[in-house]
Structure formats: structure tokens, C-alpha cells
Amino acid sequence: MTDGFRLTVRRDDVALSVTDRGGDGPPLLLLHGLAGSSRELMPTADALTDSFHVLLLDQRGHGLSTRRPVDLSREAFVDDVVAVVGQIVSGEPCTLVGQSMGAHTAFLTAAARPDIVERLVMLEGHVAGDDPGEAVGLGKFFGSWPVPFADEDAARAFLGSGALVEAWIADLEVTPEGLRPRFDADVMQRTIEAVHQPRWEEWEALQAPTLTVFAQDGMFSDTAKDELVRRRPATDRIDLSAGSHDAHLDAFDEWISVLRRWLSSDTEAATPR
């Protein structure tokens, strides 16, 4: 699998790495979750290039973008997306598809800039926020990694198994000392702390046709899922029959089927479910 055509969009002190995967059709931008990168969404991108011009962004603090940006506010992440859309597709309205933190970034961008977001898909994303203590726990977890890892086997011995672990391992940076993650634990903690702030006002004012997708064994309770639709009845919701919070990795076929079907439908007239 090639990486596609890689571009750099610069904003103040941040360099944003964007992969142009090509394809025929209107623009679609994919946004990964916390501690991930665009690499894990490449299969999703390739499934959509027959209908869309697909772009993937390494969000600030992740992947090949600036590792330690000063500003980790949600507004900074939104402004990054706006800059990417403005510079690469000249501000043409696009579809945003995000997973977890990336879904949160996509939603806030759609709320702030309805002129550049045509449709929105949120995989395992929410707007209610959560216990800030969980951000501290995540920071401690990432900080506990005994890096550098000598090799991929050493990484698996510590991290365990599963689709998410394999995505992390595939994204490790090769250095003279060994394999290192492409993110820093404290940056991840500060980033997710901002995601944990409730954003119901923006959600209820959202204009773009929106699909929320949840996995069978995902992060959110039925009550939390229901509240999204209750507070914004125009929201489409689809629950997958399999998968974890990282359903784009471990329930890929169903995820792609749902995504393609919704994107090809008349979303203006879609009926919430």
C-alpha cells in the first residue's frame, strides 16, 4: 500500500501532514482518533476513492504533523481542518468523517463552519464530554510505555494484541535507539482533556446532515447514544452488529458498508433511526 501524495499545510507554529489519496468526486476528509494517525484510515480511504476525492489529516500532535504544538484547544484542531480544506480544495464544501476524537473535531468544524462542511459522519464519537480523570488515566497509560521498544515483538509483549495494538505498532517510528510512538503522552492527555468538555450547544445548532455510527462493543452506553438523537432529532444513527471503539479496524466490512450506503443516499431526506 502506497502512502498517496503527501502535502504539508502550515499554520503558525504547526505543520500539518495531509495525504491526498486521490479519487473521483467531491472532497472527503478523514480524521483519526487520539494517539492514532491517518495510516489507520487508509483502508477506509481506499474504499471511498471511487466516489470521492479523499484526503487524510494527521491532526496536530499526531503522526507526521507537529508533535508538540503549543495550542491543543479544540478550536486549534478545528482551525487546522479549515486550513486544510481552504488550501487543498479551495474551500469547496466537503464531507467530514471522523472516529472518536476525530469525530469530535469533525463535528465542531461542521458547527463552526457550515459553509465548508456538506455532510458529517461520526464513528464512535460523542459531544457530552466525560470524566476528566479518564484523561489523566490515558496520559499515565501512554507514559508507561517502555520506549523505545527494541522491535515489534517487544511492543506486542507490552501492549498485547488486537486491531488497535497492530495499528499502533504499524505507526511506530524507527529511530536509532528503537521504535517510538509518534506522539507524546502529555500531549495526548492535554488533547483529550479538551474533548471531555460538553459541547451540547454546538451539537443542537448543527446544520449539516449527520450520521452517528456506534459499534456493538464500543465506548458509549445506550443512554448516551440515545441522547444525541434526542437533543438533535435530525441525526441519523446506525449501530453496528460488531466491533469495538475502533470499529474502522475490527468491524471494517460492516463499517464500510454502512458508510458507503449513507453517503450515497439522499441525506437531506434521511430518516433518523
Coordinates of all heavy atoms in Angstrom, one line a residue, residues 75-144:
E75 N -10.5 24.5 19.4 CA -10.6 25.5 18.4 C -9.4 25.4 17.5 O -9.5 25.6 16.2 CB -10.7 26.8 19.0 CG -12.0 27.1 19.7 CD -12.2 26.3 21.0 OE1 -11.2 26.0 21.6 OE2 -13.4 26.1 21.3
A76 N -8.2 25.0 18.0 CA -7.0 24.9 17.2 C -7.2 23.7 16.2 O -6.8 23.8 15.0 CB -5.8 24.7 18.0
F77 N -7.7 22.6 16.7 CA -7.9 21.5 15.8 C -8.9 21.8 14.7 O -8.8 21.4 13.5 CB -8.4 20.3 16.6 CG -7.4 19.5 17.4 CD1 -6.9 20.1 18.6 CD2 -6.9 18.3 16.9 CE1 -5.9 19.4 19.3 CE2 -5.9 17.6 17.6 CZ -5.4 18.1 18.8
V78 N -10.0 22.6 15.0 CA -11.0 23.0 14.1 C -10.3 23.9 13.0 O -10.5 23.7 11.8 CB -12.1 23.7 14.7 CG1 -13.0 24.4 13.7 CG2 -13.0 22.7 15.5
D79 N -9.5 24.8 13.5 CA -8.9 25.7 12.5 C -7.9 25.0 11.6 O -7.7 25.4 10.5 CB -8.1 26.8 13.3 CG -9.1 27.8 14.0 OD1 -10.3 27.9 13.6 OD2 -8.6 28.6 14.9
D80 N -7.3 23.9 12.1 CA -6.5 23.1 11.2 C -7.3 22.5 10.1 O -6.9 22.5 8.9 CB -5.8 22.0 12.0 CG -4.8 22.4 13.0 OD1 -4.3 23.6 12.9 OD2 -4.4 21.6 13.9
V81 N -8.5 22.0 10.4 CA -9.3 21.4 9.3 C -9.7 22.5 8.3 O -9.7 22.3 7.1 CB -10.5 20.7 9.9 CG1 -11.5 20.2 8.8 CG2 -10.1 19.5 10.8
V82 N -10.1 23.6 8.8 CA -10.5 24.7 8.0 C -9.3 25.1 7.0 O -9.5 25.4 5.8 CB -10.9 26.0 8.8 CG1 -11.2 27.2 7.9 CG2 -12.2 25.6 9.6
A83 N -8.1 25.1 7.6 CA -6.9 25.5 6.8 C -6.7 24.4 5.7 O -6.4 24.8 4.5 CB -5.7 25.6 7.6
V84 N -6.8 23.2 6.0 CA -6.6 22.1 5.1 C -7.7 22.2 3.9 O -7.3 22.1 2.7 CB -6.7 20.7 5.8 CG1 -6.8 19.6 4.7 CG2 -5.5 20.5 6.7
V85 N -8.9 22.4 4.3 CA -10.0 22.5 3.3 C -9.7 23.7 2.4 O -9.9 23.7 1.2 CB -11.4 22.5 3.9 CG1 -12.5 22.8 2.9 CG2 -11.7 21.2 4.7
G86 N -9.4 24.8 3.0 CA -9.1 26.0 2.3 C -8.0 25.9 1.3 O -8.1 26.4 0.2
Q87 N -6.9 25.4 1.8 CA -5.7 25.3 1.0 C -5.7 24.2 -0.1 O -5.1 24.4 -1.2 CB -4.4 25.2 1.9 CG -4.2 26.4 2.7 CD -2.9 26.4 3.4 OE1 -1.9 25.9 2.9 NE2 -2.8 27.0 4.6
I88 N -6.3 23.1 0.2 CA -6.1 21.9 -0.7 C -7.3 21.9 -1.7 O -7.1 21.5 -2.8 CB -6.0 20.6 0.1 CG1 -4.7 20.7 0.9 CG2 -6.0 19.4 -0.8 CD1 -4.3 19.5 1.7
V89 N -8.5 22.2 -1.2 CA -9.7 22.1 -2.1 C -10.4 23.4 -2.2 O -11.5 23.5 -2.6 CB -10.7 21.0 -1.7 CG1 -10.0 19.6 -1.8 CG2 -11.2 21.2 -0.3
S90 N -9.6 24.5 -1.9 CA -10.1 25.9 -2.2 C -11.4 26.2 -1.5 O -12.2 26.9 -2.0 CB -10.2 26.2 -3.7 OG -9.0 26.0 -4.3
G91 N -11.6 25.6 -0.3 CA -12.8 25.8 0.5 C -14.1 25.2 -0.1 O -15.2 25.5 0.4
E92 N -13.9 24.3 -1.0 CA -15.1 23.6 -1.5 C -15.8 22.8 -0.4 O -15.1 22.1 0.3 CB -14.7 22.6 -2.7 CG -15.9 21.9 -3.3 CD -15.4 20.9 -4.4 OE1 -14.2 20.9 -4.7 OE2 -16.2 20.1 -4.8
P93 N -17.1 22.8 -0.3 CA -17.8 22.1 0.8 C -17.4 20.6 0.7 O -17.4 20.0 -0.4 CB -19.2 22.3 0.5 CG -19.3 23.6 -0.2 CD -18.0 23.7 -1.0
C94 N -17.1 20.0 1.8 CA -16.6 18.6 1.8 C -17.4 17.8 2.9 O -18.1 18.3 3.7 CB -15.1 18.6 2.1 SG -14.6 19.1 3.8
T95 N -17.2 16.5 2.8 CA -17.7 15.6 3.8 C -16.6 15.3 4.8 O -15.5 15.1 4.4 CB -18.2 14.3 3.1 OG1 -19.2 14.5 2.2 CG2 -18.6 13.2 4.2
L96 N -17.0 15.4 6.1 CA -16.0 15.0 7.1 C -16.4 13.7 7.7 O -17.6 13.5 8.1 CB -16.0 16.1 8.2 CG -15.6 17.5 7.8 CD1 -15.5 18.5 9.0 CD2 -14.2 17.5 7.1
V97 N -15.4 12.8 7.9 CA -15.6 11.5 8.5 C -14.6 11.4 9.6 O -13.4 11.4 9.3 CB -15.5 10.4 7.5 CG1 -15.7 9.0 8.2 CG2 -16.6 10.5 6.4
G98 N -15.0 11.2 10.8 CA -14.0 11.1 11.9 C -14.4 10.0 12.9 O -15.5 9.6 13.0
Q99 N -13.3 9.5 13.5 CA -13.5 8.4 14.5 C -13.0 9.0 15.9 O -12.0 9.6 16.0 CB -12.7 7.2 14.2 CG -12.9 6.0 15.1 CD -11.8 5.9 16.2 OE1 -10.7 6.5 16.0 NE2 -12.1 5.2 17.3
S100 N -13.9 8.8 16.9 CA -13.5 9.2 18.3 C -13.1 10.6 18.4 O -13.9 11.5 18.1 CB -12.4 8.2 18.8 OG -12.2 8.4 20.2
M101 N -11.9 11.0 18.8 CA -11.5 12.4 18.9 C -11.7 13.0 17.5 O -12.0 14.2 17.4 CB -10.1 12.5 19.3 CG -9.6 13.9 19.4 SD -7.8 14.0 19.4 CE -7.4 13.6 17.7
G102 N -11.4 12.3 16.4 CA -11.5 12.8 15.1 C -13.0 13.2 14.8 O -13.3 14.1 14.1
A103 N -13.9 12.4 15.3 CA -15.3 12.7 15.1 C -15.7 14.0 15.9 O -16.5 14.8 15.4 CB -16.2 11.5 15.7
H104 N -15.1 14.2 17.0 CA -15.3 15.4 17.8 C -14.8 16.6 17.0 O -15.5 17.6 16.9 CB -14.7 15.3 19.2 CG -15.1 16.2 20.2 ND1 -14.5 17.4 20.4 CD2 -16.1 16.2 21.1 CE1 -15.1 18.1 21.4 NE2 -16.1 17.3 21.8
T105 N -13.6 16.5 16.5 CA -13.0 17.6 15.6 C -14.0 17.9 14.5 O -14.2 19.0 14.1 CB -11.6 17.2 15.1 OG1 -10.8 16.9 16.3 CG2 -11.0 18.3 14.3
A106 N -14.4 16.8 13.8 CA -15.3 17.0 12.6 C -16.6 17.7 13.0 O -17.0 18.6 12.3 CB -15.5 15.6 12.0
F107 N -17.2 17.2 14.1 CA -18.5 17.8 14.5 C -18.3 19.3 14.8 O -19.1 20.2 14.4 CB -19.0 17.1 15.7 CG -19.6 17.9 16.8 CD1 -20.7 18.6 16.6 CD2 -18.9 18.0 18.0 CE1 -21.3 19.4 17.6 CE2 -19.5 18.7 19.0 CZ -20.6 19.5 18.8
L108 N -17.2 19.7 15.6 CA -17.0 21.1 15.9 C -16.7 21.9 14.7 O -17.1 23.1 14.6 CB -15.9 21.2 16.9 CG -16.2 20.7 18.3 CD1 -15.0 20.8 19.2 CD2 -17.4 21.5 18.9
T109 N -16.0 21.3 13.7 CA -15.8 22.1 12.4 C -17.1 22.3 11.7 O -17.3 23.4 11.2 CB -14.8 21.3 11.5 OG1 -13.6 21.0 12.3 CG2 -14.5 22.0 10.3
A110 N -17.9 21.3 11.6 CA -19.2 21.4 11.0 C -20.1 22.5 11.7 O -20.8 23.3 11.0 CB -20.0 20.1 10.9
A111 N -20.0 22.6 13.0 CA -20.8 23.6 13.7 C -20.2 25.0 13.5 O -21.0 25.9 13.4 CB -20.8 23.2 15.2
A112 N -18.9 25.1 13.5 CA -18.3 26.4 13.3 C -18.3 26.9 11.9 O -18.4 28.2 11.7 CB -16.9 26.4 13.9
R113 N -18.2 26.0 10.9 CA -18.1 26.4 9.5 C -19.0 25.6 8.7 O -18.6 24.8 7.9 CB -16.6 26.3 9.1 CG -15.7 27.2 9.7 CD -16.0 28.7 9.3 NE -16.0 28.8 7.9 CZ -14.9 29.1 7.1 NH1 -13.7 29.3 7.7 NH2 -15.0 29.3 5.8
P114 N -20.3 25.8 8.8 CA -21.3 25.1 7.9 C -21.1 25.3 6.5 O -21.5 24.5 5.6 CB -22.6 25.6 8.4 CG -22.4 26.9 9.1 CD -21.0 26.8 9.7
D115 N -20.4 26.4 6.1 CA -20.2 26.7 4.7 C -19.2 25.8 4.0 O -19.2 25.7 2.8 CB -19.7 28.2 4.5 CG -18.4 28.4 5.4 OD1 -18.4 28.1 6.5 OD2 -17.5 29.0 4.8
I116 N -18.4 25.1 4.8 CA -17.4 24.2 4.2 C -17.6 22.8 4.5 O -16.8 21.9 4.1 CB -15.9 24.6 4.5 CG1 -15.7 24.4 6.1 CG2 -15.6 26.0 4.1 CD1 -14.2 24.5 6.4
V117 N -18.7 22.4 5.2 CA -19.0 21.0 5.6 C -20.3 20.7 5.0 O -21.4 21.2 5.4 CB -19.0 20.8 7.1 CG1 -19.3 19.3 7.4 CG2 -17.6 21.2 7.7
E118 N -20.3 19.7 4.0 CA -21.5 19.3 3.4 C -22.3 18.2 4.2 O -23.5 18.2 4.3 CB -21.2 18.8 2.0 CG -22.5 18.4 1.1 CD -22.1 18.1 -0.3 OE1 -21.0 17.6 -0.5 OE2 -22.9 18.4 -1.2
R119 N -21.5 17.3 4.7 CA -22.1 16.2 5.5 C -21.0 15.8 6.5 O -19.9 16.0 6.4 CB -22.4 15.0 4.6 CG -23.6 15.1 3.7 CD -23.8 14.0 2.8 NE -22.7 13.9 1.8 CZ -22.6 13.0 0.8 NH1 -23.6 12.1 0.7 NH2 -21.6 13.0 0.0
L120 N -21.6 15.1 7.6 CA -20.7 14.7 8.7 C -21.0 13.3 9.1 O -22.2 12.9 9.2 CB -21.0 15.6 9.9 CG -20.5 15.3 11.3 CD1 -19.0 15.4 11.3 CD2 -21.1 16.2 12.3
V121 N -20.0 12.5 9.3 CA -20.1 11.1 9.8 C -19.2 11.0 11.1 O -18.0 11.3 11.0 CB -19.7 10.0 8.8 CG1 -19.8 8.6 9.4 CG2 -20.5 10.2 7.5
M122 N -19.8 10.5 12.2 CA -19.1 10.4 13.4 C -19.1 8.9 13.8 O -20.2 8.4 14.2 CB -19.8 11.2 14.5 CG -19.8 12.7 14.2 SD -20.9 13.6 15.4 CE -20.0 13.3 16.9
L123 N -17.9 8.3 13.8 CA -17.8 6.9 14.2 C -17.3 6.9 15.7 O -16.2 7.4 16.0 CB -16.8 6.1 13.4 CG -16.5 4.7 13.8 CD1 -17.7 3.8 13.9 CD2 -15.4 4.1 12.9
E124 N -18.2 6.3 16.6 CA -17.8 6.2 18.0 C -17.3 7.6 18.5 O -16.3 7.7 19.2 CB -16.7 5.2 18.2 CG -17.2 3.8 18.2 CD -18.0 3.4 19.5 OE1 -17.4 3.6 20.6 OE2 -19.1 2.9 19.4
G125 N -18.1 8.6 18.2 CA -17.9 9.9 18.7 C -19.1 10.5 19.5 O -20.2 10.0 19.3
H126 N -18.8 11.4 20.4 CA -19.9 12.0 21.2 C -19.6 13.4 21.5 O -18.4 13.9 21.2 CB -20.1 11.2 22.5 CG -21.5 11.2 23.0 ND1 -22.1 12.2 23.6 CD2 -22.4 10.2 22.9 CE1 -23.4 11.9 23.9 NE2 -23.6 10.7 23.5
V127 N -20.5 14.2 22.1 CA -20.3 15.6 22.4 C -20.5 15.9 23.8 O -20.4 17.1 24.2 CB -21.2 16.4 21.5 CG1 -21.1 16.1 20.0 CG2 -22.7 16.3 21.9
A128 N -20.9 14.9 24.7 CA -21.3 15.2 26.0 C -20.1 15.4 27.0 O -20.3 15.9 28.1 CB -22.1 14.1 26.6
G129 N -18.9 15.0 26.6 CA -17.7 15.1 27.5 C -17.8 13.9 28.4 O -18.6 13.0 28.3
D130 N -16.8 13.9 29.3 CA -16.7 12.7 30.2 C -15.9 13.1 31.4 O -15.5 14.3 31.6 CB -16.0 11.6 29.4 CG -16.4 10.2 30.0 OD1 -16.8 10.1 31.1 OD2 -16.3 9.2 29.2
D131 N -15.6 12.1 32.2 CA -14.8 12.4 33.5 C -13.4 12.8 33.1 O -12.6 12.0 32.5 CB -14.8 11.1 34.3 CG -14.0 11.2 35.6 OD1 -13.5 12.4 35.9 OD2 -13.8 10.2 36.3
P132 N -12.9 14.0 33.5 CA -11.6 14.4 33.2 C -10.5 13.5 33.8 O -9.4 13.4 33.3 CB -11.5 15.8 33.9 CG -12.9 16.3 33.9 CD -13.7 15.1 34.2
G133 N -10.9 12.7 34.8 CA -10.0 11.8 35.4 C -9.5 10.7 34.4 O -8.5 10.1 34.5
E134 N -10.4 10.4 33.4 CA -10.1 9.5 32.4 C -8.9 10.0 31.5 O -8.1 9.2 31.0 CB -11.3 9.1 31.5 CG -12.4 8.4 32.3 CD -13.4 7.7 31.3 OE1 -13.2 7.8 30.1 OE2 -14.4 7.2 31.8
A135 N -8.8 11.3 31.3 CA -7.7 11.9 30.5 C -6.4 11.6 31.3 O -5.4 11.3 30.7 CB -8.0 13.3 30.3
V136 N -6.4 11.8 32.6 CA -5.2 11.6 33.4 C -4.8 10.1 33.3 O -3.6 9.8 33.1 CB -5.5 11.9 34.9 CG1 -4.3 11.6 35.7 CG2 -5.8 13.4 35.0
G137 N -5.8 9.2 33.3 CA -5.5 7.8 33.2 C -4.9 7.4 31.8 O -3.9 6.6 31.8
L138 N -5.4 8.1 30.8 CA -4.8 7.8 29.5 C -3.4 8.3 29.4 O -2.5 7.7 28.8 CB -5.7 8.5 28.4 CG -6.9 7.7 27.9 CD1 -7.7 8.6 27.0 CD2 -6.5 6.4 27.2
G139 N -3.2 9.5 30.0 CA -1.8 10.1 30.0 C -0.9 9.2 30.7 O 0.3 8.9 30.2
K140 N -1.3 8.6 31.8 CA -0.4 7.7 32.6 C -0.2 6.4 31.8 O 0.9 5.9 31.8 CB -1.1 7.3 33.9 CG -1.1 8.5 34.9 CD -1.7 8.1 36.2 CE -1.7 9.2 37.2 NZ -2.3 8.8 38.5
F141 N -1.2 5.9 31.1 CA -1.0 4.7 30.3 C 0.0 4.9 29.2 O 1.0 4.2 29.0 CB -2.4 4.3 29.7 CG -2.2 3.2 28.6 CD1 -1.7 2.0 28.9 CD2 -2.6 3.5 27.3 CE1 -1.6 1.0 27.9 CE2 -2.4 2.6 26.3 CZ -1.9 1.3 26.6
F142 N -0.2 6.0 28.4 CA 0.8 6.2 27.3 C 2.2 6.5 27.9 O 3.2 6.1 27.3 CB 0.3 7.4 26.5 CG -0.9 7.1 25.6 CD1 -2.0 8.0 25.7 CD2 -1.0 6.0 24.9 CE1 -3.1 7.7 24.9 CE2 -2.1 5.7 24.1 CZ -3.2 6.6 24.2
G143 N 2.2 7.2 29.0 CA 3.5 7.5 29.7 C 4.2 6.2 30.2 O 5.4 6.2 30.5
S144 N 3.5 5.1 30.4 CA 4.0 3.9 30.9 C 4.7 3.0 29.9 O 5.4 2.1 30.2 CB 2.9 3.1 31.6 OG 2.1 2.5 30.7

